[in-house]
Amino acid sequence: MAASSEAIDLTIVAARAASSGKATAIQAIDVSSRMVLTDVFLIVSGSTSRHVRALVKDIDDAVFKAGTKRLRQEGLTGDARWVILDYGDLIVHAQVDEDREFYALEKLWGDCPTIELPADVTADPEYRTPSLMDYFTPQVNYSDGVETP
C-alpha cells in the first residue's frame, strides 16, 4: 500500500515550508506499508534548537493554511532538539543536526520507499554534515600553534 495522494500533497506543503526556513536536510519516507498510524514521515533538521523551533513554526503555519490541523506535538517544550508534529497522515520529525545524525531515522526506515520532493524543495547548500572524524580531529589555530577542542 502506498501513501495517499492527500498525504503526499501535505508532505510537499510541509517540505516547502522547511525549505523556505533553510532546513539543513529534508527527506520524506513512505511508511504506509509498515505503519498503521501514518502514511509519511517527513524528516527535517536545523542547525540549532532555535532553528528547529523556527522550522516547526513555519511547517505548522503552512500546514494549517493548507487546511490541516495538528493533532499532537511533542518535544517543543524544553530544549527542542527533536520535535514531532502529528498531522494524521503525516508525521514530521524536526531534529537538531547532531541528533538526526545520531538517531539516523532514514536508516532505521531504510527499507521503506522515499518520496521524491519537487525541485523547489532544497536543503541549505551551505550546510555540511559533520562526520565522526570531525569530532576526533583536533583543530589547530596556526596563528598561535595551539590545538582547540
Side-chain angles (χ1 to χ4, degrees), residues 7 10 36-40 68-72 85-91:
L10 192 59
V36 184
L37 301 174
T38 192
D39 283 356
V40 179
T68 303
K69 291 183 180 179
R70 177 177 20 89
L71 303 175
R72 281 172 286 289
L85 302 172
D86 182 355
Y87 298 103
D89 290 340
L90 167 66
I91 294 180

Side-chain angles (χ1 to χ4, degrees), residues 38-79:
T38 192
D39 283 356
V40 179
F41 278 173
L42 178 65
I43 307 168
V44 303
S45 56
S47 54
T48 64
S49 291
R50 182 177 286 188
H51 189 194
V52 168
R53 285 179 192 276
L55 290 171
V56 165
K57 183 178 181 335
D58 291 346
I59 292 167
D60 210 29
D61 290 348
V63 170
F64 184 76
K65 285 179 186 173
T68 303
K69 291 183 180 179
R70 177 177 20 89
L71 303 175
R72 281 172 286 289
Q73 168 183 296
E74 292 292 329
L76 198 55
T77 58
D79 61 0

Side-chain angles (χ1 to χ4, degrees), residues 106-128:
E106 299 91 78
K107 291 180 185 169
L108 181 65
W109 295 95
D111 58 341
C112 295
T114 59
I115 296 171
E116 188 170 337
L117 297 170
D120 64 329
V121 175
T122 58
D124 184 2
E126 296 297 314
Y127 179 75
R128 180 185 70 82

